[in-house]
Amino acid sequence: MSEHLGEFEQLVMLAVLRLDDDGYGTSIREELKARAKREVSPGAVFTTLERLESRGLVSSRYGEPTAARGGRSKRYYKLTVDGRRALAQSLRTVRRMVQGLEPKLERL
């Protein structure tokens, strides 16, 4: 089964992968801001995570409730095996498309 990923899905999945088991909504947004230089709304991140989870590309678990969050739990995300496979395939495709174009892109 081939999973096609959009750019924002790739970015979210890369952030989740980088954060390992510590990826939750706010940390994913911070990672996108720091590395991709993208300001994104919480809703955009959560909508994307829900879509990726429904496709079986990420899974989630709830942490322990904390007083700092008013007794609420953080929801942590991680890539599934299928998610890692889909992300790797997507990145290979992008690399093939970019191959040889670096000089043209550097002129901008």
Side-chain angles (χ1 to χ4, degrees):
M1 173 175 71
S2 175
E3 288 286 345
H4 298 283
L5 301 173
E7 180 206 15
F8 191 64
E9 290 174 327
Q10 288 177 7
L11 293 175
V12 168
M13 290 176 75
L14 288 167
V16 169
L17 183 61
R18 183 172 297 279
L19 292 164
D20 207 19
D21 287 337
D22 294 324
Y24 61 96
T26 299
S27 66
I28 293 167
R29 285 182 64 223
E30 289 170 356
E31 191 70 19
L32 292 170
K33 182 178 180 181
R35 293 192 177 267
K37 307 297 185 216
R38 301 254 309 246
E39 291 276 350
V40 296
S41 71
V45 171
F46 286 113
T47 298
T48 300
L49 288 166
E50 287 175 4
R51 183 171 55 250
L52 292 169
E53 190 166 27
S54 73
R55 292 167 60 189
L57 302 177
V58 301
S59 62
S60 66
R61 65 171 175 79
Y62 286 97
E64 294 297 317
T66 62
R69 292 178 45 85
R72 294 179 306 149
S73 301
K74 288 181 184 174
R75 189 171 179 180
Y76 293 93
Y77 295 88
K78 70 177 184 176
L79 296 186
T80 63
V81 171
D82 286 344
R84 287 176 187 258
R85 216 175 270 130
L87 182 58
Q89 177 60 43
S90 184
L91 295 175
R92 281 192 296 271
T93 300
V94 169
R95 278 194 220 79
R96 285 193 304 270
M97 291 300 296
V98 170
Q99 190 174 17
L101 295 176
E102 292 89 349
K104 290 182 179 185
L105 295 170
E106 289 173 3
R107 286 187 247 148
L108 298 176

